[in-house]
Amino acid sequence: MTSELAMQQAAEVATERRLLMGNEAIALAAIAAGVNVACGYPGTPSTEIVETIARNNPNHSIHVEWSCNEKAAFELAAGVSYSGGRVIVTCKQVGMNVASDPLMSLAYIGCKGGMVIVVADDPGPISSQTEQDSRQFAQFAHIPVFDPATPEEAWAMTQAAFELSEAHGCPVMLRPTTRVDHACASIEVPLDLASIPRHAIDGFIKHPDFVIFPALSRRAHERMTADLVQISKEFDVCRFNRLDEYVRDDYELYLGIACSGDSRGYVNEALTRLHERAREQGLELPSYRLFEVATPFPFPQKLGRDFLLGLADALVIEELEPVVERSLIQLTGPVAADAYRIDAPCVIHGRLDGTTPVAGEYSTDLLTPILAKFLGVTELVCTQPSCGADAQPAVPPQELIPPRPPVLCAGCPHRASFLAVKKAAGKRDIVYSGDIGCYTLGCNKPLNTTDTCLCMGAGVTIAQGLETAARLAGDSQTLHAGFVGDSTFFASAMTGLANAVYNHHRMCLCVLDNSTTAMTGSQPHPGTGVTLMDTKSKPIDIAAVCRALGCDPVLEVDPLDHAAAVAMAEEALASEGVSVIIFKSPCVQLFKPLVPVTVDAQACRGCGKCVRETGCPALSMASPHEGGARGIAQIDATLCNGCDLCINSCSFNALVSVRDGMPAAQRDAQRREAFRG
Amino acid sequence: MANTKVETPQAENFDCLVVGVGGQGVVLASRLIAAACMNEGAFVRTAETIGMSQRGGSVASHVRTGSCAEDVPSSLIPAHEADLVLAFEPAEAVRAYSQLKAGGRMVVAMQPVVPVMAANSGYDGEAQADWLKEHIAPENLAFVDPAVLVASGLSAKCLNVMLLGAAIKLGALPFTKEQLQQAMQKLMKPKLIEMNEKALELGIN
């Protein structure tokens, strides 16, 4: 018995150093914390958290699911927590908007089992609609938030978040940003995660406090506020917050720098560079205080006061919104609690006075001159540290760097769907209401088939508003087509479709069904019949749902069967009511490419129509020959997936496919058979 | 011509930028470099491009090493600080030039991927290669011809390992061929190892 126990303990401390992505670190930390349930809806940069837990769940002791949307995930998570289970729920920042209804009320109800909400923010933004700052959501909802700067800190904070959640009976937010989620670092993790036991679930015990009601909410509002005061005191001594000083004997300390999130890394790196350059020039930076804020809400007030004491000027550096900055300003203003009030006013610089940029991602390069100016050492900023002052680096001419925005993949069935609708509309006016997914890229030339894009599901409902406004203005001719993907259909399009039928809107909804959630890296959804628990479920039939909602006609077609797709689109657009056309063809990321299309060099006349019509990345025109003869079309065989769509755009039969004459159903079967294992 | 001082790369003080077009295998190349440096005891940070840009857009992976976490405060390499730029595509190589430090090395795959916005321009990457030859000393610059891969019956997907082989030949990586092979064993599916070993040889020779 004793030796067994000793072995168990040894196993518990045995660790290995692994290169982990921030999202993987969060996932493994949740497993190490005994998490019982992990759920969420895919969204860059948050997706890998749930995926990693699913991959490290050998005996299925953790329930892992892709919920249909964020609201569903949060409510599921609340139920688990009410029952005493530990749960992690993940989404991207705009997913938090969808889940805001349960979140706001949940803070009032509180929770029992540790509940960690991971909301991934996206400064830049790199892959998002907005640059919203979820730390403000935490303030709005009255829940504490951890703001990691690195993957290794995300690992440690995830475990701390579970502890804090259970200690105070409140959900806790972990707010990483893209450069934490998608950065990797060497991290020490337990060798055998699978042997860590799951948290024991007590089970749901009925109590009136689980029913939100005005009288309860008023009491809860007071309780939440008192709890936050207490948590703020705990954050004052939290190991993640750091207060350091660089002090010179001959220079009074009156400058301070506060920073949070991944900007902490950039600030430290920029300061290191400035110290190095100062040394090289026989100089020294002035004294300064450095405050790294890892728990922005509730703000650690005493630490904040200790930071501000004696300072004349403080610079706050944080991406997105001025959360730390406003908290520090509060400490210097008349509304601060007496205990922490600073009498000598310190001037606070940052976002609010224009010292730091409002929008976009920060970096060491961006912050170095801002810090140098604040510290009064602008002479230390040079463009290239490792070269002499006289050797300015060459700047490449812009024409050598063609812009390369993301595009629909070669062979993407969405391209074929867009072209079919475009062809069916012909010369008639048509407005394309787009949605969130790979197909937002339909906005680019030459397709130009996304005229609006707002948020998940809006492709269905914006079209209804445009149609209504057009009708009221006397325009009954313009066609209105909405576009949503299959995963988006289940996440947030069904209500909008019911609205269209019920309120007599006229529109054609195009569901781009590629059998996956493609944009975020191929996650299953209710239409695929696959779950994260490796079980099968009956795939929900999108056509049957649309018929049940009263849409008519509801058509299904393979978009790569071009002639049939155009005919179906014509029929759907002719409908006076709510028509649906489901374009079904698998995402090219799911299957191995078919034999590429080739160019018949004799037949090609170099007209470029194929390139102009399709915008396929595998197609381009070769350089003109000497003497000025036009270059012919060329196909990048490493990119072409053999969709054969381009063949329809060639008037000279110069694009050749081995599948010529093969029935569309057989081609579709080839794709589906070539699924990647 | 930039400073041509040649430095020996150090596993615990190495900044490498891997650039290309989404789908070319950039992330795996950066993971292999990271794994090989970690095997030598280095602390490693990387930053990767994941998400929409992967759909045929410009992508970059940063790999930064140090002796401890504090050595590497952030995961993004500042301008003019990369010891090595590994480029899967000539225009992406030129785009990344401002990241290269004076005397830094660059390995470029001559595999032009025509940007959709330049599909009618006759882009073939030659002008980009010429500009790089003018601005990087010959001992710091190497080109890799991916056509050799296909001619040897290998998949174009092995380009990442071939590029790493060329970087080892140039003396631009802080680890040996054997250490890279160890990393490959760790990160690649067993059935893909043999093909990639051949691609590695093609890059080194």
Side-chain angles (χ1 to χ4, degrees):
Chain A
M1 194 70 185
T2 317
S3 67
E4 260 181 38
L5 193 65
M7 275 169 64
Q8 197 185 337
Q9 280 170 346
E12 273 170 15
V13 294
T15 60
E16 60 175 336
R17 216 160 53 108
R18 291 172 59 181
L19 186 73
L20 290 182
M21 193 190 272
N23 282 342
E24 293 173 321
I26 293 167
L28 298 187
I31 295 174
V35 78
N36 303 105
V37 173
C39 54
Y41 184 78
T44 311
S46 70
T47 312
E48 296 81 4
I49 302 169
V50 165
E51 287 184 328
T52 303
I53 295 178
R55 266 202 312 275
N56 290 275
N57 189 23
N59 47 17
H60 289 168
S61 59
I62 306 170
H63 174 83
V64 192
E65 71 169 48
W66 282 128
S67 307
C68 290
N69 69 14
E70 294 85 353
K71 179 170 148 64
F74 272 60
E75 289 155 1
L76 171 90
V80 173
S81 173
Y82 288 178
S83 309
R86 287 189 183 159
V87 57
I88 188 166
V89 55
T90 76
C91 61
K92 69 183 293 176
Q93 87 284 44
V94 286
M96 189 68 258
N97 304 340
V98 177
S100 59
D101 198 0
L103 176 75
M104 297 306 289
S105 300
L106 185 59
Y108 283 71
I109 296 286
C111 65
K112 194 174 164 202
M115 176 167 172
V116 176
I117 297 166
V118 187
V119 189
D121 281 355
D122 186 22
I126 299 172
S127 346
S128 303
Q129 302 95 295
T130 68
E131 275 202 304
Q132 66 192 64
D133 190 324
S134 300
R135 297 176 303 169
Q136 289 185 321
F137 235 123
Q139 291 176 318
F140 189 26
H142 298 89
I143 62 169
V145 56
F146 287 97
D147 187 6
T150 60
E152 62 270 28
E153 200 170 63
W155 160 271
M157 282 182 175
T158 304
Q159 311 214 34
F162 275 106
E163 286 163 22
L164 187 72
S165 172
E166 281 182 7
H168 288 275
C170 61
V172 174
M173 184 187 287
L174 179 74
R175 195 291 303 239
T177 53
T178 307
R179 297 300 181 187
V180 176
D181 293 301
H182 287 168
C184 296
S186 326
I187 303 179
E188 292 283 338
V189 294
L191 201 54
D192 186 12
L193 277 168
S195 70
I196 295 174
R198 296 300 94 208
H199 177 71
I201 300 175
D202 305 337
F204 181 63
I205 299 161
K206 293 183 183 185
H207 193 282
D209 282 356
F210 287 115
V211 183
I212 198 156
F213 219 68
L216 176 139
S217 300
R218 188 198 164 111
R219 282 200 313 276
H221 196 172
E222 288 166 353
R223 189 209 67 230
M224 284 191 298
T225 308
D227 278 351
L228 288 171
V229 170
Q230 179 55 35
I231 295 171
S232 163
K233 287 178 180 159
E234 290 174 27
F235 282 170
D236 279 331
V237 292
C238 172
R239 65 193 159 115
F240 300 115
N241 293 317
R242 284 192 204 115
L243 191 55
D244 293 312
E245 282 177 359
Y246 169 75
V247 186
R248 280 166 58 177
D249 294 341
D250 59 342
Y251 202 106
E252 196 186 336
L253 195 158
Y254 65 85
L255 297 174
I257 300 156
C259 49
S260 74
D262 54 6
S263 291
R264 289 160 53 197
Y266 306 137
V267 166
N268 274 305
E269 183 156 44
L271 288 172
T272 305
R273 294 290 187 278
L274 290 173
H275 278 293
E276 279 169 9
R277 284 175 213 162
R279 258 196 309 279
E280 282 165 19
Q281 299 185 24
L283 302 169
E284 215 180 327
L285 298 188
S287 301
Y288 61 86
R289 199 175 278 151
L290 180 64
F291 185 20
E292 295 189 36
V293 185
T295 60
F297 184 79
F299 194 75
Q301 304 234 41
K302 181 178 176 302
L303 264 187
R305 185 193 65 164
D306 292 348
F307 166 68
L308 289 170
L309 267 182
L311 296 187
D313 291 275
L315 170 64
V316 187
I317 291 178
E318 58 191 321
E319 288 168 319
L320 303 176
E321 297 295 334
V323 171
V324 169
E325 187 176 348
R326 287 207 169 99
S327 299
L328 286 170
I329 288 171
Q330 265 181 20
L331 282 178
T332 63
V335 293
D338 284 343
Y340 301 120
R341 172 93 178 271
I342 308 295
D343 285 329
C346 164
V347 181
I348 292 171
H349 309 273
R351 281 282 306 283
L352 296 172
D353 73 347
T355 304
T356 55
V358 169
E361 201 183 358
Y362 287 5
S363 66
T364 303
D365 291 329
L366 180 132
L367 295 177
T368 303
I370 294 171
L371 283 163
K373 190 174 174 202
F374 178 72
L375 295 170
V377 290
T378 44
E379 68 274 23
L380 296 180
V381 179
C382 68
T383 52
Q384 190 175 14
S386 51
C387 74
D390 55 344
Q392 281 299 314
V395 177
Q398 277 306 306
E399 66 263 26
L400 293 184
I401 318 177
R404 201 189 294 273
V407 289
L408 290 174
C409 301
C412 175
H414 298 339
R415 178 180 292 106
S417 306
F418 283 132
L419 284 176
V421 177
K422 207 171 161 177
K423 206 166 210 174
K427 292 202 159 51
R428 290 176 287 177
D429 284 332
I430 178 166
V431 183
Y432 302 96
S433 301
D435 215 293
I436 307 291
C438 289
Y439 42 92
T440 314
L441 296 170
C443 67
N444 293 331
K445 286 182 202 169
L447 292 174
N448 296 324
T449 45
T450 301
D451 296 317
T452 70
C453 179
L454 186 70
C455 61
M456 292 280 287
V460 188
T461 19
I462 293 263
Q464 297 165 34
L466 294 169
E467 175 265 332
T468 303
R471 186 164 40 77
L472 292 176
D475 168 11
S476 56
Q477 298 303 309
T478 301
L479 300 169
H480 293 276
F483 289 80
V484 291
D486 41 352
S487 187
T488 308
F489 179 84
F490 292 110
S492 46
M494 292 185 289
T495 317
L497 204 50
N499 191 68
V501 174
Y502 172 53
N503 287 306
H504 301 293
H505 291 291
R506 182 188 169 176
M507 69 172 296
C508 169
L509 178 67
C510 303
V511 182
L512 306 176
D513 180 359
N514 59 1
S515 304
T516 192
T517 316
M519 172 103 281
T520 43
S522 305
Q523 289 74 30
H525 62 67
T528 63
V530 178
T531 76
L532 279 184
M533 297 300 284
D534 299 325
T535 54
K536 301 278 180 205
S537 58
K538 189 181 172 197
I540 300 178
D541 182 355
I542 296 176
V545 172
C546 295
R547 286 192 189 102
L549 287 171
C551 305
D552 184 37
V554 176
L555 308 168
E556 291 179 88
V557 70
D558 172 3
L560 297 176
D561 184 356
H562 187 62
V566 173
M568 289 278 192
E570 278 169 2
E571 185 187 342
L573 288 175
S575 163
E576 291 291 324
V578 181
S579 60
V580 175
I581 177 162
I582 300 161
F583 291 104
K584 283 173 84 87
S585 182
C587 173
V588 293
Q589 302 291 335
L590 296 180
F591 61 88
K592 290 177 184 146
L594 305 186
V595 179
V597 174
T598 53
V599 179
D600 179 344
Q602 303 303 317
C604 179
R605 308 214 186 153
C607 70
K609 189 170 166 230
C610 53
V611 169
R612 282 197 310 277
E613 275 194 4
T614 66
C616 174
L619 266 173
S620 60
M621 303 305 292
S623 307
H625 299 288
E626 279 174 31
R630 285 198 291 199
I632 62 164
Q634 52 189 7
I635 289 176
D636 187 330
T638 62
L639 293 178
C640 178
N641 278 291
C643 77
D644 296 348
L645 182 72
C646 55
I647 293 172
N648 299 295
S649 65
C650 183
S651 311
F652 307 105
N653 297 322
L655 297 169
V656 184
S657 165
V658 294
R659 291 164 295 276
D660 192 23
M662 187 187 284
Q666 198 180 335
R667 295 185 202 187
D668 186 58
Q670 277 193 358
R671 279 185 199 95
R672 292 182 187 273
E673 274 164 24
F675 261 57
R676 294 177 193 276
Chain B
M1 186 76 60
N3 183 343
T4 58
K5 184 180 67 175
V6 176
E7 291 171 21
T8 310
Q10 305 292 319
E12 294 190 353
N13 183 15
F14 185 60
D15 283 347
C16 175
L17 189 69
V18 188
V19 297
V21 177
Q24 282 190 310
V26 165
V27 170
L28 180 58
S30 64
R31 293 287 177 97
L32 286 167
I33 297 169
C37 289
M38 269 179 75
N39 277 347
E40 289 185 69
F43 179 89
V44 179
R45 284 194 198 287
T46 74
E48 294 161 1
T49 314
I50 293 166
M52 195 191 248
S53 307
Q54 279 179 303
R55 305 273 175 263
S58 297
V59 296
S61 278
H62 301 241
V63 184
R64 312 191 71 186
T65 74
S67 53
C68 61
E70 288 69 29
D71 259 7
V72 195
S74 83
S75 55
L76 297 178
I77 303 169
H80 317 298
E81 293 202 17
D83 297 289
L84 168 66
V85 171
L86 209 60
F88 283 62
E89 206 279 341
E92 296 312 311
V94 177
R95 200 189 307 280
Y97 176 80
S98 64
Q99 297 285 112
L100 192 65
K101 74 175 187 188
R105 273 98 162 204
M106 192 181 267
V107 181
V108 185
M110 278 311 288
Q111 171 141 307
V113 179
V114 185
V116 170
M117 290 167 89
N120 278 317
S121 69
Y123 167 78
D124 60 7
E126 292 298 335
Q128 282 74 9
D130 290 343
W131 191 90
L132 292 170
K133 284 174 196 162
E134 269 173 47
H135 293 90
I136 299 172
E139 65 270 28
N140 288 339
L141 180 65
F143 288 94
V144 163
D145 180 8
V148 177
L149 276 179
V150 183
S152 310
L154 299 173
S155 160
K157 297 267 175 209
C158 301
L159 181 58
N160 42 25
V161 173
M162 188 180 175
L163 272 169
L164 288 168
I168 287 174
K169 184 182 173 190
L170 197 64
L173 285 172
F175 46 81
T176 62
K177 176 183 150 190
E178 290 69 30
Q179 286 163 320
L180 176 61
Q181 285 168 319
Q182 278 180 21
M184 285 163 60
Q185 292 288 345
K186 204 172 160 190
L187 295 186
M188 289 179 164
K189 285 182 187 160
K191 64 174 181 183
L192 298 178
I193 296 284
E194 191 188 337
M195 191 166 68
N196 279 289
E197 292 277 356
K198 287 181 189 158
L200 179 60
E201 291 301 329
L202 283 177
I204 288 184
N205 299 313

